[in-house]
Amino acid sequence: MTILSVLTGIAIVLTLGYGVLNGFRDASTAVAASVRTRALRPAIAVSVAAVFAFLGTLATSGLSVALVDKLNFNVPDGVVGLKLLICGLLTAGAWGLYCWWRGLPVSSTHALFSGLVGASGASAFMGDLPMSGAWGLLLGSVLLPLLITPVIAYLLSYVLVIPATWLMRHNSSGSVNNGSRAGQAIAACAVALGLGLQDGQRTGAMIALVLITGHAMDPGPVTWAIQLAAGTALGLGVLLGGWRITYTLGRRLVNFDPLRGMIAQGVAAAMLFLGSLILHLPLSTTQAVTSGIVGAGSNQAFESVVWRNVTKVLLHWVLTPVVCVACGAILTLAVHPLLGNA
């Protein structure tokens, strides 16, 4: 068995683990608002989210193909490329676990891309081939979405509360809450479907990229088997659940009612669908849902947002690319003596 085969196997295992961790953390994002307002019971919410995340991964391969085309020409071939992918995956997984332990919702995609950029820089420093266009990837797929996604989700959710409350002005609070809980249950399913369309597709793209880099697959369409593996990993992670982040989103950031929860989830789902199906742009499920919840919850007659906790979350969003670029570089430098001549 060659070193190339061993590294390919390790990278595949890490990618599937990344998919499980992604679902484990983002299950909270998909169902937190619905559980908070009792639109869905926790067990039902997680089960439904797992099914829709799995279906979203299998629904299309458009985003996966776009990401593979974008990254395939940038990642070096063979052992050097696999080393970069492994270091990026380890960095993203470690940062994701740390933030989950602290109950902080952060973007696993931003962590992964930033880790790859850091690994690329270290690879170039040590005289190996780097990723071409690495800093463009950091700018276009991490920094710009980091600025745009939260702002759009916040503003849309804030603004949509105005016509929604006006339309409901003659209804009793009970009827509004009951109807909003039903709508919120549907919106939670839509967010879970968007999770599959975004995060599941990214996991499939990483599996394909690992196989291509390891010479185990020719460049081309993402196969059904790859989508099935990515969907299974994501769905399994959702089933495991991650209630630390659910508590943060539902209790520590903002106090909101079912109507505002429905609006926030609807906005987030629409953004995820648009990014995956039309723009073929990777968007953070975590940032879309979290910003939507804060935006809808802040448009109330009383102060309901705990801005100290929101600021803490925002700080970790900004820290994600900084920390992961640094850790990806350090990890690559550490493994270079082991694989430098492979």
Side-chain angles (χ1 to χ4, degrees), residues 163-173 175-176 179-180 259 262:
T165 52
W166 184 83
L167 290 172
M168 300 291 183
R169 67 191 186 281
H170 297 308
N171 295 44
S172 66
S173 60
S175 64
V176 171
S180 297
L259 176 63
M262 178 184 68

Side-chain angles (χ1 to χ4, degrees), residues 3-5 7-8 11 74-88 115-116 118-132 209-210 212-215 328 331-333 335-336 338-342:
I3 185 64
L4 187 65
S5 300
L7 291 179
T8 301
N74 296 339
V75 178
D77 198 28
V79 171
V80 174
L82 288 172
K83 178 174 66 175
L84 297 183
L85 294 175
I86 288 172
C87 291
L116 289 175
S120 173
S123 180
F125 178 77
M126 298 302 294
D128 291 333
L129 287 174
M131 289 175 56
S132 60
L209 186 61
V210 167
I212 293 170
T213 305
H215 303 163
L331 186 57
T332 303
L333 293 175
V335 302
H336 181 79
L338 301 176
L339 301 173
N341 299 320

Side-chain angles (χ1 to χ4, degrees), residues 191-282:
V191 172
L193 188 65
L195 174 64
L197 289 171
Q198 284 283 343
D199 296 66
Q201 293 285 302
R202 287 195 287 270
T203 303
M206 285 300 299
I207 295 174
L209 186 61
V210 167
L211 293 175
I212 293 170
T213 305
H215 303 163
M217 171 182 166
D218 294 326
V222 176
T223 65
W224 179 258
I226 290 176
Q227 287 182 272
L228 186 63
T232 301
L234 183 65
L236 177 61
V238 173
L239 283 177
L240 293 175
W243 297 110
R244 287 177 179 269
I245 296 175
T246 298
Y247 183 78
T248 296
L249 292 176
R251 303 286 179 179
R252 297 177 62 191
L253 296 184
V254 60
N255 181 26
F256 56 92
D257 56 22
L259 176 63
R260 287 168 174 79
M262 178 184 68
I263 291 171
Q265 289 180 297
V267 168
M271 291 180 63
L272 296 177
F273 291 165
L274 180 65
S276 176
L277 300 176
I278 298 177
L279 301 178
H280 292 163
L281 178 69

Side-chain angles (χ1 to χ4, degrees), residues 3-230:
I3 185 64
L4 187 65
S5 300
V6 172
L7 291 179
T8 301
I10 293 173
I12 289 294
V13 171
L14 289 175
T15 303
L16 293 174
Y18 166 82
V20 173
L21 177 62
N22 206 344
F24 178 74
R25 294 174 55 255
D26 285 352
S28 305
T29 306
V31 304
S34 299
V35 172
R36 168 66 177 85
T37 60
R38 299 190 300 277
L40 290 171
R41 295 180 181 178
I44 295 176
V46 169
S47 300
V48 169
V51 171
F52 277 91
F54 178 79
L55 293 176
T57 306
L58 300 182
T60 177
S61 61
L63 181 60
S64 293
V65 172
L67 288 175
V68 171
D69 289 343
K70 184 176 182 179
L71 294 174
N72 184 35
F73 299 106
N74 296 339
V75 178
D77 198 28
V79 171
V80 174
L82 288 172
K83 178 174 66 175
L84 297 183
L85 294 175
I86 288 172
C87 291
L89 287 164
L90 286 173
T91 298
W95 180 247
L97 282 173
Y98 169 76
C99 290
W100 165 81
W101 182 253
R102 298 195 63 187
L104 297 168
V106 297
S107 172
S108 54
T109 304
H110 290 183
L112 176 60
F113 288 167
S114 300
L116 289 175
V117 170
S120 173
S123 180
F125 178 77
M126 298 302 294
D128 291 333
L129 287 174
M131 289 175 56
S132 60
W135 297 108
L137 175 69
L138 183 66
L139 176 62
S141 297
V142 178
L143 298 182
L144 284 180
L146 176 60
L147 293 174
I148 294 172
T149 302
V151 172
I152 292 177
Y154 179 92
L155 291 178
L156 280 177
S157 298
Y158 185 95
V159 170
L160 288 176
V161 168
I162 298 173
T165 52
W166 184 83
L167 290 172
M168 300 291 183
R169 67 191 186 281
H170 297 308
N171 295 44
S172 66
S173 60
S175 64
V176 171
N177 287 337
N178 290 334
S180 297
R181 286 192 180 99
Q184 197 176 3
I186 297 173
C189 296
V191 172
L193 188 65
L195 174 64
L197 289 171
Q198 284 283 343
D199 296 66
Q201 293 285 302
R202 287 195 287 270
T203 303
M206 285 300 299
I207 295 174
L209 186 61
V210 167
L211 293 175
I212 293 170
T213 305
H215 303 163
M217 171 182 166
D218 294 326
V222 176
T223 65
W224 179 258
I226 290 176
Q227 287 182 272
L228 186 63

